[in-house]
Amino acid sequence: MIRVQVQQDEFDMGAEMAALSRISGAVGGMSVFMGQVRGNQGDGLESLTLEHYPGMTEKMLMGLAEEAFSRFHLLGCTVIHRVGIMYVGDPIVFVGTAASHRAAALQATAFLIDRLKTGAPFWKLERFTDGRSHWVDARETDDAAAAAWDDPSKD
Amino acid sequence: MIRVQVQQDEFDMGAEMAALSRISGAVGGMSVFMGQVRGNQGDGLESLTLEHYPGMTEKMLMGLAEEAFSRFHLLGCTVIHRVGIMYVGDPIVFVGTAASHRAAALQATAFLIDRLKTGAPFWKLERFTDGRSHWVDARETDDAAAAAWDDPSKD
Amino acid sequence: MQGRVTILYFASLREQLGRECEDVSLTDGQVPVQTLVSDLRSRDKALDGVFAAMPRIRVAINQELASFQDTVKAGDEVAFFPPMTGG
Amino acid sequence: MQGRVTILYFASLREQLGRECEDVSLTDGQVPVQTLVSDLRSRDKALDGVFAAMPRIRVAINQELASFQDTVKAGDEVAFFPPMTGG
């Protein structure tokens, strides 16, 4: 069971986790990552605007979810990414995986969020309280984290 | 903020995640692991009874949470472990971590569940539909997973 | 559609160009992305400046990531954008 | 309490012994865990059989994991149990 969703609205983490946990009686472990707009960095960040490429985004997220599903023998996999404007503390992304064993679920979640950061067509515009705004630069550490999953010894 | 809880009752994953996500405006990522009673293995498992060593359990879980908190620079950490009788599909354990960056949260959660498996005084008694019951044996793979965190190159 | 491709721009690229899409005609039946880009840059000074200033522009053809050596043909949807920053 | 320790048994150990705790007096003021175990086994055939059959018994002293070389003194709480299987 794969569920991929791109939406403006907030998601309900408890409901998403409950749905994953009930996907099969064979589920022994579930892993979740939730990313939100980080504030308190002293830079006066007020909001993020998430732009995306409609159509391509859903395709690429589905491709990533399918890759995780077969690579880590998942029983369930949910990826939800919000678009539009989000303020400090607001949720941005939810990745949840369910598997028979904990290692598979934990690794699949790390794989999905690492790959999603640089492999799905999303872009972040930061707006600050003083009126400035700028597009977030891609980080080399994110490229490295995504590329590390190309090495199958990580499984 | 560390929260450690040993209880008979079910926990509310959504509420626990929401509390972690609001611990600080500096939270950028949260990671959760939830373990539940795995069925559908063809062995007729009906229930698990979780026994523990009251007093020592809380101390050891708190020690693990404090180690994770400082090692991975967490902003929040919640560990809830149930005791008593649980049926197939019931939740057993919840580990949640919040940090500024995703890698810290993901690693801390994996650390906590790996260490908790062999490092806190819980024991599982399996009961089957045909009336048999037996104590779950410790697995060498769990010892290896816990010991792997002794190698600081994993951070 | 015959002989034409749809071009999309996203994020900082869209913002600096001041447009999010355009239709262009291909000089040949099918051309590599880099030829298409050269044509666009020679026709449009603003676009030339934006492409010159952003060395890490990515391309997708029909919503699949592609390289500048890949071929564009009539009817394709070609998108240009900066490195992705989701999650 | 003087000269006595509380001993707790958990899980399969508790089940096979048929008891979850007992109070025993120490032969000396303080002894290594392994001496305490030898004393217990020499006094109690059932316990001897259980300890013989379970090679991986763990020990905690005052709710801290310990080794069989660690010292037990009067007033301590000593617990024996099989390898832990939580999570």
Side-chain angles (χ1 to χ4, degrees):
Chain A
M1 280 278 288
I2 292 179
R3 172 166 141 73
V4 165
Q5 187 77 29
V6 179
Q7 63 186 42
Q8 293 217 341
D9 296 339
E10 283 204 26
F11 40 78
D12 179 339
M13 292 187 286
E16 296 298 338
M17 288 192 74
L20 272 170
S21 73
R22 286 193 293 260
I23 262 178
S24 153
V27 172
M30 277 181 49
S31 167
V32 166
F33 178 82
M34 192 279 284
Q36 64 184 29
V37 183
R38 182 176 67 248
N40 287 14
Q41 308 297 301
D43 56 2
L45 181 72
E46 190 174 73
S47 72
L48 280 187
T49 303
L50 260 290
E51 179 171 329
H52 78 127
Y53 183 172
M56 181 170 169
T57 314
E58 291 82 353
K59 264 192 221 178
M60 296 201 71
L61 292 182
M62 183 54 80
L64 283 178
E66 285 169 348
E67 188 178 346
F69 204 87
S70 62
R71 178 167 175 173
F72 299 102
H73 309 289
L74 298 180
L75 296 165
C77 176
T78 300
V79 178
I80 305 173
H81 205 300
R82 293 180 68 200
V83 293
I85 187 161
M86 286 155 249
Y87 296 88
V88 167
D90 283 351
I92 306 170
V93 60
F94 175 96
V95 171
T97 62
S100 290
H101 297 285
R102 75 181 184 286
L106 290 165
Q107 289 185 320
T109 297
F111 166 87
L112 280 165
I113 189 65
D114 282 349
R115 282 288 184 87
L116 185 157
K117 286 251 166 192
T118 61
F122 293 105
W123 302 275
K124 289 196 186 96
L125 178 70
E126 293 181 330
R127 289 182 203 276
F128 299 88
T129 48
D130 63 4
R132 282 178 305 126
S133 70
H134 76 79
W135 291 94
V136 172
D137 278 329
R139 296 189 309 171
E140 284 176 21
T141 52
D142 285 337
D143 286 334
W149 291 102
D150 296 342
D151 171 4
S153 77
K154 283 195 88 166
D155 290 8
Chain B
M1 281 277 287
I2 292 179
R3 170 166 142 73
V4 165
Q5 187 77 31
V6 179
Q7 64 187 41
Q8 293 217 341
D9 295 338
E10 282 205 25
F11 40 78
D12 179 339
M13 292 187 286
E16 296 298 337
M17 288 191 75
L20 272 170
S21 74
R22 287 193 293 260
I23 263 178
S24 153
V27 172
M30 277 180 49
S31 167
V32 166
F33 178 82
M34 192 278 284
Q36 64 184 27
V37 183
R38 183 175 66 246
N40 288 14
Q41 307 298 300
D43 56 2
L45 181 72
E46 188 174 74
S47 71
L48 279 186
T49 302
L50 259 290
E51 179 171 330
H52 78 127
Y53 182 171
M56 182 170 169
T57 314
E58 291 82 351
K59 263 193 221 177
M60 295 200 73
L61 291 183
M62 183 56 80
L64 282 179
E66 285 168 347
E67 188 179 346
F69 204 87
S70 62
R71 177 167 175 174
F72 299 100
H73 310 288
L74 298 181
L75 297 165
C77 176
T78 299
V79 178
I80 305 172
H81 205 299
R82 294 180 67 201
V83 292
I85 188 161
M86 285 155 252
Y87 296 87
V88 167
D90 284 351
I92 306 170
V93 60
F94 175 96
V95 171
T97 62
S100 290
H101 297 285
R102 75 180 185 286
L106 290 165
Q107 289 185 320
T109 297
F111 167 88
L112 279 164
I113 189 66
D114 281 350
R115 282 288 184 86
L116 185 157
K117 286 250 166 192
T118 61
F122 292 105
W123 301 274
K124 289 196 188 97
L125 178 69
E126 293 180 330
R127 289 182 203 276
F128 299 87
T129 47
D130 62 4
R132 283 178 306 125
S133 71
H134 77 80
W135 292 92
V136 172
D137 278 329
R139 297 189 309 171
E140 283 176 22
T141 52
D142 285 337
D143 287 334
W149 291 101
D150 297 342
D151 173 4
S153 75
K154 283 196 85 165
D155 290 9
Chain C
M1 281 299 270
Q2 207 68 19
R4 300 187 74 79
V5 298
T6 301
I7 302 191
L8 306 175
Y9 304 103
F10 288 98
S12 51
L13 211 56
R14 170 186 57 70
E15 201 175 65
Q16 287 174 42
L17 288 174
R19 61 177 181 274
E20 59 189 30
C21 61
E22 60 190 308
D23 260 35
V24 300
S25 56
L26 290 180
T27 47
D28 285 303
Q30 44 182 43
V31 297
V33 173
Q34 54 202 6
T35 305
L36 174 65
V37 170
S38 300
D39 289 355
L40 292 168
R41 291 177 70 163
S42 65
R43 288 185 232 181
D44 182 333
K45 272 241 163 80
L47 191 145
D48 183 50
V50 170
F51 271 69
M54 296 185 72
R56 298 209 290 156
I57 291 174
R58 308 277 169 95
V59 63
I61 301 174
N62 298 326
Q63 306 190 352
E64 302 271 359
L65 282 179
S67 87
F68 282 71
Q69 284 73 53
D70 287 332
T71 299
V72 176
K73 60 185 191 312
D76 281 352
E77 175 178 296
V78 180
F80 295 103
F81 42 79
M84 299 170 276
T85 58
Chain D
M1 284 298 269
Q2 208 68 19
R4 298 187 76 78
V5 298
T6 302
I7 303 191
L8 306 176
Y9 304 102
F10 287 97
S12 52
L13 212 56
R14 169 187 58 68
E15 202 176 64
Q16 287 175 42
L17 287 173
R19 61 180 181 272
E20 60 188 30
C21 62
E22 61 190 308
D23 260 36
V24 301
S25 56
L26 290 179
T27 46
D28 285 302
Q30 44 182 43
V31 297
V33 172
Q34 55 202 6
T35 305
L36 175 64
V37 170
S38 299
D39 288 355
L40 292 169
R41 291 177 69 162
S42 65
R43 285 185 233 181
D44 182 334
K45 273 240 163 83
L47 190 145
D48 182 50
V50 170
F51 272 68
M54 297 185 72
R56 298 209 290 156
I57 290 173
R58 307 278 168 94
V59 63
I61 302 173
N62 298 326
Q63 306 190 350
E64 302 272 359
L65 282 178
S67 86
F68 282 71
Q69 284 72 53
D70 287 331
T71 299
V72 176
K73 60 184 191 314
D76 281 352
E77 176 177 297
V78 180
F80 295 103
F81 43 78
M84 299 169 276
T85 58

